Amino acid sequence: MLAALLGGGALWLGQQAGLVPQPGLRTLEQRLGALESRPLPADPAGALADLSRTLEAQAARLDALEALPAPAAPDLSGLEGALADLEARTAALEAQVAGEAETVQTLGSRLDALEALPRPAPAAPRAFAPPASPLESLVAELEAGQADLVARVEDLEAARDALEEARAAMAESLERLEDESARALGTAADALSRAEAAEARAEAVAAEAEAARSRAEAAEAEAEARAALARIAAALETGAPLAPALEELRESGAAPPPAFEAAAETGLPTLAALRADFPAAARAALERARAEGLLDAGGGAVAFLRGQFGIRSTLPREGDDPDAILSRAEAALAANQLDEALREIAALPDPVREALRPWLDRAEARAAAEAALRDGLGAAAERTIPAAP
């Protein structure tokens, strides 16, 4: 059937090109119709073998015919010019259909052989599928292309779904990683906060310990200074040298005042010694006052006795003469008020005060030491030791 169709198509092309005469094509179509109406052989393999042998015989016959000498050519000199152009124009077409013409001739020979074969027994009718038209072939190709495109789209959709799944899995993993990182950072921040708090507590404890140590050292130094000042006060009462007590005061971190340094080796006079030495010093001062004409002794026997025996007032009395001033100074000294006695003596005239200078220097040195002792004890009492935080 397929060979018949191919033969018919080749024969039609040959007729269109002017290579095969039209009556032969009509006859070929009739023969093809007759062949198509024949039932298929019961044994297709045997039929094909017979057909192959027949075709070989036909090919041998064609070879013999082709070997015959060609007839003499007619005189076509008048038509050569006209045909030259036609031949040039049809050369290409003849080259294209040469193979098809040979195939048509071969198929024609085979069809002759097929027609000569005996008809097989009729078989069950078989549906004949007409050859597909160019449009049907194009539709089939389009349908195949559409099926391929659909398959490719389905593959792309599957790949997209797989990509979406991978992306979702990656996003989930990233979110889980972020959560774990956040928890780790939170844990680290919490640990860092606890470490900083512990460090702050340790620093606070260290600062408190340092403050306690400083307070203890200050208290110890203060106690040592107080003890040294107490020993200085005792030395002032007894008149003993101040050097041992001053050394202890230095060891406590305090600097001894100059009033103490001046009496470090000799000590200072006691109040009792100053009181005992005051009468003789007062008489010498009054003698100087009389000699300078600064003492108003008055008249009569009292004035005479004062002048001859150096009698002075022993009880405090009012007045601004040297005798009255010295009487008040002696009374203040008797009451252990050395500063008051020195203030009274400061009111004496310069010559009288200079006559009192040996006693006055000793008294002023003691007064300066007592003032320094009071200042030291007051500072020790008012010094604030840092309190614990």
Side-chain angles (χ1 to χ4, degrees):
M1 181 72 67
L2 180 58
L5 291 177
L6 292 175
L11 184 59
W12 179 82
L13 289 176
Q15 290 175 353
Q16 295 297 321
L19 300 177
V20 180
Q22 292 292 332
L25 177 61
R26 188 177 299 109
T27 303
L28 182 61
E29 290 178 352
Q30 293 174 357
R31 292 167 65 186
L32 286 174
L35 288 174
E36 289 176 354
S37 63
R38 290 181 183 181
L40 294 175
D43 185 9
L48 288 177
D50 294 339
L51 178 60
S52 178
R53 286 191 295 271
T54 304
L55 289 176
E56 290 176 357
Q58 294 294 331
R61 291 171 60 190
L62 287 175
D63 292 339
L65 291 174
E66 290 175 357
L68 293 177
D75 185 9
L76 299 177
S77 59
L79 299 176
E80 288 180 357
L83 293 175
D85 182 60
L86 180 60
E87 290 176 354
R89 290 164 58 187
T90 59
L93 182 59
E94 289 177 354
Q96 294 178 1
V97 300
E100 284 80 355
E102 183 179 357
T103 304
V104 168
Q105 293 176 1
T106 304
L107 291 175
S109 300
R110 291 181 177 179
L111 286 174
D112 292 338
L114 289 174
E115 289 175 352
L117 293 175
R119 292 179 177 273
R126 185 175 177 181
F128 173 73
S133 65
L135 180 60
E136 291 176 349
S137 299
L138 179 60
V139 171
E141 291 178 0
L142 291 176
E143 289 178 351
Q146 183 180 6
D148 182 64
L149 182 61
V150 169
R152 292 175 61 187
V153 170
E154 291 177 352
D155 293 340
L156 290 176
E157 290 179 350
R160 183 194 61 189
D161 295 340
L163 180 60
E164 291 295 334
E165 292 178 359
R167 186 178 299 170
M170 185 180 296
E172 183 179 357
S173 299
L174 181 59
E175 184 178 358
R176 184 169 59 254
L177 181 60
E178 289 177 351
D179 293 340
E180 293 176 356
S181 299
R183 287 195 298 272
L185 288 176
T187 303
D190 186 37
L192 180 59
S193 299
R194 291 197 300 271
E196 290 177 350
E199 183 178 1
R201 289 195 298 271
E203 291 178 354
V205 171
E208 183 179 356
E210 181 64 22
R213 186 181 65 80
S214 299
R215 291 195 301 272
E217 291 178 353
E220 183 179 0
E222 184 66 22
E224 292 176 355
R226 286 177 177 273
L229 291 174
R231 279 187 282 276
I232 290 173
L236 289 178
E237 292 299 324
T238 61
L242 301 180
L246 294 180
E247 184 62 27
E248 293 179 2
L249 186 62
R250 293 189 190 93
E251 292 177 355
S252 68
F260 294 162
E261 293 286 359
E265 301 299 334
T266 60
L268 292 169
T270 63
L271 285 176
L274 292 175
R275 283 194 300 269
D277 296 339
F278 185 77
R283 284 192 293 272
L286 289 176
E287 289 292 336
R288 184 67 176 271
R290 290 188 189 95
E292 297 289 337
L294 300 174
L295 183 62
D296 183 13
V302 174
F304 176 77
L305 291 175
R306 285 181 177 178
Q308 292 296 321
F309 299 102
I311 298 175
R312 62 183 182 84
S313 300
T314 56
L315 295 176
R317 64 181 182 84
E318 299 295 329
D320 56 358
D321 63 287
D323 183 60
I325 292 173
L326 290 172
S327 68
R328 292 194 299 271
E330 186 173 12
L333 189 60
N336 293 329
Q337 298 176 357
L338 180 59
D339 292 337
E340 181 63 24
L342 292 177
R343 278 192 294 272
E344 291 289 349
I345 292 172
L348 291 171
D350 290 341
V352 178
R353 195 169 57 252
E354 288 301 321
L356 197 63
R357 176 57 57 190
W359 183 91
L360 185 60
D361 288 342
R362 295 167 62 215
E364 287 178 348
R366 180 179 178 86
E370 288 181 352
L373 181 61
R374 285 193 300 271
D375 292 342
L377 293 174
E382 294 176 1
R383 185 176 295 112
T384 302
I385 300 175

